[in-house]
Amino acid sequence: MSDTPEQSGAQSPQEPTLDEQIAAYQREFRDLDPQVEKVVSALGRLNRRMNVAYGRQVADLGISNAEWEVLKTLVLSGAPYRLGPGELAKRLGLTPAAMTHRIDRMAGEGLVTRDRDENNRVRVIVELTDEGRQKWLEAMRMATDFEEELLQDLSTEERGALGEMLIRLLRRVELTQPDAGGRLTDLD
């Protein structure tokens, strides 16, 4: 029996329900565990849809997902929100060339500055501007509203349990795929 759109979330006309997808996989690959596939496929679909939603939010602010990632990384570095381009590239799993392109674009938009390190004139420092921090804060406000709405049907206990289960899955992937934090290819 197939999930209704309310049970599995609305899908595009060309995307089957999770149950239809799992049934098709089982026809072709009999060793498939349908419970495992349901979890993994639901996580994949949820991730895609959340990325689209976040992308729309940051686009409304006039920034891209790629720029959001840089803003977030600078904020996570702590005040004064400064990192070298190489460290930014490493933390984002990008090549130095892709990072340079991204920094150039963001500096032109006033989201970051790029200056020589006063202590080491060879070294470049990328720093979050006030405008970049304001964009980050507004994106966080929008994301918080979206995330609260997303989880509204879960109790506090269910949210806690789900969070712990997802962290266990994440730890397993990190243990078995330690290099999976970056990207296979640059996105911009």
Side-chain angles (χ1 to χ4, degrees):
M1 176 175 241
S2 293
D3 288 341
T4 65
E6 294 80 29
Q7 292 171 319
S8 66
Q11 55 273 341
S12 63
Q14 62 272 40
E15 186 175 40
T17 66
L18 287 177
D19 285 341
E20 290 168 342
Q21 176 181 325
I22 292 164
Y25 285 176
Q26 284 181 303
R27 276 194 316 269
E28 303 299 323
F29 184 69
R30 301 236 183 255
D31 293 339
L32 182 81
D33 181 333
Q35 287 180 315
V36 170
E37 190 59 35
K38 185 171 258 186
V39 169
V40 172
S41 294
L43 285 172
R45 287 185 186 196
L46 179 61
N47 182 53
R48 279 195 322 272
R49 285 166 173 78
M50 288 178 68
N51 283 336
V52 168
Y54 290 135
R56 287 181 182 140
Q57 289 177 340
V58 296
D60 287 346
L61 297 174
I63 60 176
S64 68
N65 277 336
E67 291 168 330
W68 159 251
E69 288 182 354
V70 174
L71 298 177
K72 177 178 68 172
T73 303
L74 288 169
V75 168
L76 289 173
S77 74
Y81 315 116
R82 305 172 73 199
L83 289 171
E87 182 61 25
L88 270 171
K90 181 179 173 186
R91 291 183 186 196
L92 292 171
L94 298 173
T95 63
M99 191 74 252
T100 297
H101 175 69
R102 198 174 288 186
I103 292 167
D104 288 346
R105 194 172 60 232
M106 293 178 72
E109 295 169 358
L111 301 171
V112 299
T113 59
R114 178 183 40 218
D115 295 308
R116 295 275 176 208
D117 185 340
E118 293 176 11
N119 299 322
N120 178 352
R121 300 298 294 161
V122 175
R123 186 169 184 246
V124 172
I125 297 291
V126 178
E127 185 171 349
L128 188 65
T129 64
D130 288 340
E131 182 178 346
R133 181 156 169 75
Q134 288 307 310
K135 294 275 187 181
W136 178 82
L137 286 168
E138 186 57 30
M140 288 300 293
R141 284 184 199 98
M142 294 168 80
T144 298
D145 291 344
F146 168 70
E147 292 158 359
E148 282 295 326
E149 184 179 329
L150 176 70
L151 297 175
Q152 70 182 340
D153 296 330
L154 300 180
S155 69
T156 302
E157 294 77 24
E158 289 171 322
R159 290 177 185 195
L162 178 60
E164 288 303 316
M165 287 185 277
L166 291 172
I167 287 170
R168 285 182 11 220
L169 294 176
L170 178 60
R171 285 187 188 132
R172 172 62 56 194
V173 171
E174 290 172 343
L175 180 66
T176 61
Q177 305 290 321
D179 62 340
R183 295 194 173 86
L184 296 177
T185 59
D186 291 333
L187 299 178
D188 61 355

